[in-house]
């Protein structure tokens, strides 16, 4: 049986990722009592994984170019950044004793590239400030009361009900569910329109032959230029690096293009990605090299020596043209410059770096409070926005949490004196 509800005045925050933690910090600084509920055994698990190879905290790109990284939500996210932008995030880290540096690509990292020291210091400070943490509390429902809200929480000891004057949800999306954000809240959150959660910054599936998949899975492909036609029929292109997987393709270049590729794929059932395998060489130059005498060398060896193609690029040519097609020097050269690959599906959302979709932003006011349920706020990746990797995801999570936490505190001070 559920234990009797206990009244806890103040703000209940559900979700212990960056958005929830920064919301707790700013609300507590306004004198609000804060209880933070997290379904995992500790907070910030996805934050820690993000820092496993070096925590990319934010990016040094100036605004308004920075804002443009948020696609159709650039204006809305831009207002969040007005209150807490990349520079504010770096200064916040400095306040925790963590200096930051700008990498060669413009990405911003802690000087030691580690996430754990930053998170530990942050949680210590939050506890010292009076934020009450409740881990292994899985929120399974929310009910509006006459004077606040009631949370249904599943714990190891059974079901628990908790009340608060206001609630801030920072439940995350649906990527990396083993770290806390499983998207199940879409099944119980009522009163807020939700756009279906979809993979973002994700891999895509290609129908490789078994031979190619077995031989080249895990191999990096760099540098290449990728092109595709977006939903408006305009060619988009970018240079970068890819990774061959057993199922298809992943990598930073694909993640940067994934939002547009996914939208075309959803509309058309598939999308063609065209790769320039030799960005620094012209088709004419390649054709001359391929047409040169090859003697007793195999075609694979000839392509490697004459056209300076590695085994992976030769394998891709075999995959698209077949052995017979490689006998035509012009066609082979043209394919090196425009190798077509059909992307069939995104990889499952559980494998994606982040997710798109979530609570529609037009259902919330500028303070990220529900337009129909006063005292209910949302922040972080559970909102309907997306961004590429490079520090933009984390920055918007922090910025939205900062905005919602401050707004929730002000609402409580005005309405629950």
């Amino acid at each position: 049986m559920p234990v009797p509800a206990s009244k806890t005045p103040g703000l209940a925050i559900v979700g212990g990722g960056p958005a929830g933690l920064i919301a707790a910090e700013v609300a507590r600084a306004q004198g609000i009592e804060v209880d933070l509920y997290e379904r995992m055994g500790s907070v910030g698990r996805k934050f820690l994984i993000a820092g496993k190879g070096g925590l990319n905290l934010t990016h040094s790109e100036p605004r308004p170019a920075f804002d443009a990284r948020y696609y159709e939500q650039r204006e809305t996210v831009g207002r969040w950044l007005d209150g807490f932008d990349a520079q504010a995030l770096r200064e916040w880290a400095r306040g925790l004793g963590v200096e930051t540096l700008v990498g060669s690509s413009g990405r911003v990292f802690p000087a030691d590239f580690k996430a754990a020291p930053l998170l530990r210091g942050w949680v210590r400070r939050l506890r010292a400030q009076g934020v009450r943490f409740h881990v292994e509390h899985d929120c399974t429902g929310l009910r509006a009361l006459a004077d606040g809200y009631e949370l249904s929480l599943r714990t190891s000891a059974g079901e628990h009900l908790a009340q608060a004057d206001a609630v801030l949800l920072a439940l995350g999306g649906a990527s990396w569910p083993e770290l806390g954000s499983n998207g199940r809240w879409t099944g119980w959150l009522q009163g807020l329109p939700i756009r279906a959660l979809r993979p973002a910054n994700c891999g895509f599936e290609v129908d490789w032959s078994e031979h190619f998949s077995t031989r080249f899975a895990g191999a990096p492909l760099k540098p290449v230029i990728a092109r595709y036609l977006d939903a408006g029929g305009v060619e988009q292109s970018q240079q970068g690096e890819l990774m061959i997987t057993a199922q298809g393709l992943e990598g930073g270049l694909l993640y940067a293009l994934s939002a547009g590729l996914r939208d075309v794929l959803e509309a058309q059932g598939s999308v063609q990605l065209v790769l320039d395998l030799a960005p620094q060489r012209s088709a004419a130059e390649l054709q001359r090299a391929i047409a040169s005498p090859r003697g007793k060398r195999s075609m694979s060896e000839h392509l490697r020596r004459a056209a300076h193609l590695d085994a992976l690029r030769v394998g891709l040519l075999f995959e698209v043209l077949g052995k017979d097609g490689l006998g035509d020097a012009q066609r082979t050269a043209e394919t090196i410059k425009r190798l077509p690959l059909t992307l069939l599906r995104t990889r499952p959302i559980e494998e994606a770096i982040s997710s798109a979709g979530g609570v529609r932003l037009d259902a919330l006011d500028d303070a990220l409070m529900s337009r129909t349920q006063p005292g209910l706020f949302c922040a972080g990746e559970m909102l309907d926005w997306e961004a590429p990797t490079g520090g933009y995801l984390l920055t918007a999570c922090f910025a939205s949490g900062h905005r919602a936490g401050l707004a929730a505190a002000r609402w409580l001070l005005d309405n629950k004196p």
Side-chain angles (χ1 to χ4, degrees):
M1 292 292 292
V3 300
S6 58
K7 177 65 174 170
T8 303
L11 177 65
I13 295 176
V14 187
L21 293 173
I22 196 70
E25 183 167 14
V26 296
R28 189 71 193 104
Q30 298 295 312
I32 301 300
E33 293 293 316
V34 176
D35 286 273
L36 188 144
Y37 299 94
E38 164 59 45
R39 82 175 187 92
M40 304 300 288
S42 59
V43 298
R45 292 198 175 190
K46 194 172 179 181
F47 184 77
L48 288 175
I49 289 295
K52 194 170 183 180
L55 178 64
N56 183 192
L57 194 60
T58 185
H59 202 285
S60 61
E61 185 175 34
R63 300 179 67 190
F66 194 108
D67 302 22
R69 301 293 184 171
Y70 299 96
Y71 309 115
E72 67 269 19
Q73 301 296 358
R74 65 186 67 185
E75 291 185 7
T76 299
V77 178
R79 291 194 293 274
W80 305 349
L81 297 172
D82 289 341
F84 195 82
D85 62 6
Q87 185 57 39
L89 182 50
R90 297 182 71 179
E91 292 170 359
W92 168 86
R94 183 177 295 115
L96 283 164
V98 175
E99 295 296 329
T100 56
L101 57 83
V102 180
S104 58
S105 63
R107 299 183 181 203
V108 176
F109 302 88
D112 63 2
F113 292 93
K114 297 178 180 178
L118 178 59
L119 181 62
R120 284 196 301 267
W122 192 10
V123 172
R124 280 197 302 268
R125 187 168 74 181
L126 289 171
R127 291 187 186 278
Q129 291 170 342
V131 174
R132 295 185 288 263
F133 287 84
H134 309 271
V135 296
E136 297 183 334
H137 280 62
D138 184 12
C139 187
T140 58
L142 176 68
R143 184 167 69 96
L145 304 174
D147 58 350
Y149 289 90
E150 182 179 78
L151 296 167
S152 298
L153 300 157
R154 183 183 297 119
T155 74
S156 58
E159 296 295 319
H160 175 66
L161 300 176
Q163 293 181 2
D165 297 307
V167 171
L168 191 155
L169 301 176
L171 294 162
S175 63
W176 294 80
E178 66 273 22
L179 301 177
S181 54
N182 56 22
R184 292 177 187 166
W185 55 268
T186 59
W188 57 256
L189 182 58
Q190 304 296 316
L192 287 173
I194 298 169
R195 190 178 181 189
L197 296 176
R198 301 178 294 164
N201 294 293
C202 58
F204 288 78
E205 296 186 5
V206 177
D207 187 18
W208 301 130
S209 67
E210 183 177 353
H211 172 77
F212 181 87
S213 174
T214 301
R215 183 175 180 189
F216 293 109
L221 180 62
K222 57 183 181 179
V224 293
I225 295 175
R227 298 182 172 91
Y228 76 99
L229 296 180
D230 66 17
V234 177
E235 184 176 82
Q236 302 294 327
S237 67
Q238 188 164 326
Q239 182 166 318
E241 301 178 7
L242 295 172
M243 177 74 73
I244 305 297
T245 69
Q247 299 82 19
L249 292 168
E250 290 184 1
L253 175 56
L254 201 61
Y255 302 154
L257 301 175
S258 64
L261 288 168
R262 181 200 62 223
D263 291 347
V264 175
L265 192 153
E266 290 176 350
Q268 301 180 4
S270 66
V271 58
Q272 188 173 84
L273 186 72
V274 177
L275 301 181
D276 182 346
L277 300 179
Q280 305 304 320
R281 305 181 71 187
S282 69
E285 180 185 357
L286 289 164
Q287 183 176 340
R288 286 193 298 272
I290 296 168
S292 65
R294 65 183 176 102
K296 296 181 179 180
R297 292 196 299 263
S298 68
M299 180 56 73
S300 296
E301 183 65 17
H302 180 61
L303 289 171
R304 285 197 289 270
R305 291 189 179 217
H308 307 297
L309 300 180
D310 58 21
L312 173 54
R313 284 169 168 78
V314 174
L316 284 166
L317 290 172
F318 269 100
E319 194 76 357
V320 171
L321 294 176
K323 183 177 181 180
D324 294 339
L326 291 173
D328 185 327
Q330 180 180 348
R331 185 182 177 194
T332 302
E334 290 172 349
T335 304
I336 292 170
K337 296 299 291 181
R338 293 190 67 87
L339 182 127
L341 295 175
T342 300
L343 308 184
L344 301 172
R345 291 168 292 277
T346 61
R347 290 296 296 160
I349 194 169
E350 294 82 5
E351 297 179 13
I353 292 175
S354 59
S355 57
V359 174
R360 292 181 60 92
L361 293 176
D362 56 10
L364 307 174
D365 64 19
D366 204 44
L368 297 180
M369 184 174 74
S370 168
R371 295 185 185 277
T372 59
Q373 302 175 77
L376 176 60
F377 298 80
C378 298
E381 198 178 335
M382 71 178 294
L383 300 177
D384 183 17
W385 61 274
E386 62 179 308
T389 58
Y392 303 102
L393 290 164
L394 264 180
T395 304
C397 285
F398 272 92
S400 64
H402 187 278
R403 189 177 191 84
L406 187 58
R410 290 172 176 168
W411 185 87
L412 283 166
L413 292 171
D414 289 344
N415 294 276
K416 305 287 183 178

